[in-house]
Amino acid sequence: MREPLTYGSLADEAARIAAAAATNPPRPGARLGEILDHAAGIGRLFATAGRHAKLLDAPFGGPGRSTTFVNRLVTAALVADQLYDQPTPGRTLWHCAADKLGAAHDLLASHVDRAGQQRSLDAVVLGDPLAVRGAMTRLTDITLPAALTARALPPLIAPFQTNAPSVIPAAQVLTRLGALTGPIRMSRERLHPTGDHALDPVGPLLGDPAAPPLDRAIHHVRRTLHQLSQPDALISQQALLAFATLALAISERTHRLTRQAATLVRGPERARLDIACEQAENTARSWRAIRTFLQQTASRGIDGHEAPGLVIDTGRYLVANTRTGKNPGRRDLARVLDVMRRTTLVLPEIAERSGLAVEVLLTHQALLGPATPTGHQTIGRNEQTWIVDAYRTATGHGGSTITHLLRLPGIHPQRARALYLVQRYAPEGDHDLLGLRDAHPATQETPRPGWHVPVLDEEPDGTLRLHDSRHGTLQIDNTTLSTAVTRSPQTLRGILADHPWIDLDGTETLVTLAALVAAHTPGALRTPAASEPADPPSQAALPTLTSQPPVASANLPHLQATEASDLDF
């Protein structure tokens, strides 16, 4: 089976090829062309390493950490340009190592756009100093053999300098690159004890097309979560409910399989399986409460119409990959538990990113309670506080589930990423269980604008007044505002763009934009919004992997129940 295409696999291959190239240097008496071919390959490898070091040093456009190793590599890259820019007819293992390192660099760089903004959930790991130190350690493994070989080439070039003076600059450059041998060794000694491999599992931005269907589906889920948690997205209720359904299904299936595996063992292994089973049930309980809450709400958001279908596909792949017979043996259960170990890695990300999307809805006053005779109303302050806290609780539970699955016997299929997620999301006590550092890794989240929260009042005659800190008090008709809020923020801003006297600063909420349109240009609302996305598919089609109905938490705020179909797979 083909090895997964990841940053770690490409970087490891570059290190392996560089080590092989160092064992086959040009011999004394070799032709000048052969020596220059090796020099060109070494130059290309150092140039690529310098480019990659700059990305690792400051991926988000910041000042960078400016370590001595990075500065030396960047300088070496500028010098090495003189070697690999010269036309040479041969291709060596150094060229192959440079190609692999270049592919690893391009794979990682695709997760950050030109403005330095994160394009995926994996880009967050680039802000973790421990993960970057681990990648820098591998970079020393790749460049040290090149520096050692560069130091050995100038004496081989010396006999040709009389008849070919043009090779003198190449010898000088190789001497400078060879002088990096000592600093690279010292850098590796400093980097190695404190780095990890959290960047290794990072794959292509759009996913590996040759990966198994379940892995591709989970990758698509993570990309969708990233997109829908951005400040300019308003997630639909159907998408939120779909993600909650998927998280609940993963938690419940983990609970069932760990409980089943615990019946076949004894001793400490049984105890760890029992704890993992209990933690999976706690995680499932938190998602049942969230799902029950979401079933009683509505959203003015329209983004994420593809999420329900994506959850259906992911659920089917998960069932197919974790199916066991009536009396499975330990080997079968170990296989399906490995699948769950990989799949549960998405749990804290679903909770965190869904929570961010809900906070955007709340900021825009776009998360609504059950329908009343006068229409939907925004949910109360107590309910807002509860749902935000519920997502934070689910995030911690997801991290703890990963912790206890890590403690099971056998090698975790994605141990490096699992350890990173535990440090990022799990409570401090879980770090002690795994012998990790107490502090969460430093991360740089996408900056979020400082939204102005408007206040909407209704007069006895049905007239609405919106009080906004920048735009003052706007008096609008209830029916007109109800029509306006069905349009997306982008559509409303487009309408207001034709009225330059209305000063928008980009932080207006959906309600403020709708009120501005209703107050200043209500005629624009009579034109059907042809460019608006289609309504998302019905939530009734979503799967769940067990037939257990959702159970409301005892602390769930009271919302009048509305009709919601159970999601049975």
Side-chain angles (χ1 to χ4, degrees), residues 402-468:
I402 297 172
T403 298
H404 294 295
L405 291 178
L406 264 167
R407 299 180 70 225
L408 298 181
I411 300 175
H412 194 288
Q414 292 191 15
R415 179 176 174 81
R417 181 164 171 248
L419 288 171
Y420 169 78
L421 292 174
V422 168
Q423 282 192 285
R424 180 175 172 80
Y425 295 114
E428 297 290 345
D430 289 5
H431 302 177
D432 297 336
L433 288 173
L434 299 174
L436 301 175
R437 299 171 182 84
D438 290 337
H440 286 272
T443 57
Q444 181 173 349
E445 292 289 352
T446 303
R448 308 181 75 81
W451 302 100
H452 303 294
V453 180
V455 177
L456 191 63
D457 295 328
E458 184 174 2
E459 300 297 324
D461 60 356
T463 303
L464 297 177
R465 282 186 173 86
L466 183 94
H467 307 280
D468 185 86

Side-chain angles (χ1 to χ4, degrees), residues 116-147:
Q117 297 298 314
Q118 303 167 6
R119 300 179 66 189
S120 72
L121 296 183
D122 287 323
V124 178
V125 190
L126 277 166
D128 174 23
L130 295 179
V132 170
R133 289 177 74 89
M136 289 289 191
T137 302
R138 185 183 275 108
L139 207 50
T140 63
D141 294 336
I142 296 172
T143 53
L144 181 58

Side-chain angles (χ1 to χ4, degrees), residues 3-55:
E3 186 178 3
L5 180 62
T6 63
Y7 170 76
S9 66
L10 290 170
D12 280 341
E13 185 70 3
R16 185 190 65 78
I17 295 174
T23 62
N24 292 283
R27 304 298 178 188
R31 294 180 298 103
L32 177 60
E34 179 186 352
I35 299 172
L36 291 180
D37 287 344
H38 280 260
I42 291 172
R44 182 174 177 181
L45 181 59
F46 267 106
T48 306
R51 183 164 55 107
H52 190 50
K54 288 180 66 176
L55 170 69

Side-chain angles (χ1 to χ4, degrees), residues 164-351:
S166 60
V167 303
I168 296 178
Q172 293 173 341
V173 171
L174 287 168
T175 300
R176 293 184 63 180
L177 295 179
L180 292 175
T181 301
I184 290 175
R185 280 175 170 161
M186 289 188 293
S187 296
R188 193 186 193 289
E189 291 299 319
R190 289 195 301 268
L191 290 168
H192 179 66
T194 54
D196 60 34
H197 297 284
L199 281 170
D200 284 9
V202 176
L205 177 65
L206 300 180
D208 183 358
L214 177 60
D215 292 348
R216 294 201 304 271
I218 292 294
H219 182 87
H220 194 179
V221 167
R222 298 179 72 232
R223 274 189 56 78
T224 305
L225 280 169
H226 175 73
Q227 294 163 357
L228 296 179
S229 61
Q230 299 306 301
D232 59 349
L234 283 181
I235 192 170
S236 67
Q237 185 261 4
Q238 286 85 0
L240 279 174
L241 194 53
F243 290 132
T245 300
L246 177 61
L248 175 60
I250 293 172
S251 304
E252 288 184 335
R253 201 158 189 83
T254 303
H255 169 255
R256 185 177 70 80
L257 291 173
T258 49
R259 182 180 60 190
Q260 198 171 6
T263 62
L264 301 181
V265 295
R266 295 289 183 270
E269 186 177 350
R270 169 68 180 266
R272 291 188 176 187
L273 279 166
D274 285 338
I275 295 173
C277 176
E278 181 181 356
Q279 181 55 54
E281 173 57 24
N282 291 337
T283 306
R285 189 179 299 114
S286 65
W287 281 110
R288 287 191 199 104
I290 291 173
R291 183 164 164 252
T292 300
F293 181 94
L294 293 175
Q295 286 176 326
Q296 303 172 38
T297 63
S299 165
R300 290 195 178 107
I302 57 176
D303 296 323
H305 61 276
E306 76 281 6
L310 176 59
V311 166
I312 290 175
D313 292 339
T314 306
R316 288 173 179 167
Y317 293 139
L318 183 59
V319 170
N321 280 267
T322 57
R323 185 175 287 116
T324 59
K326 291 184 178 180
N327 297 301
R330 295 183 61 176
R331 181 176 298 179
D332 287 338
L333 286 173
R335 175 187 60 81
V336 297
L337 279 178
D338 272 352
V339 175
M340 297 313 303
R341 279 174 149 185
R342 295 200 314 269
T343 308
T344 52
L345 298 182
V346 79
L347 285 177
E349 293 176 332
I350 292 177

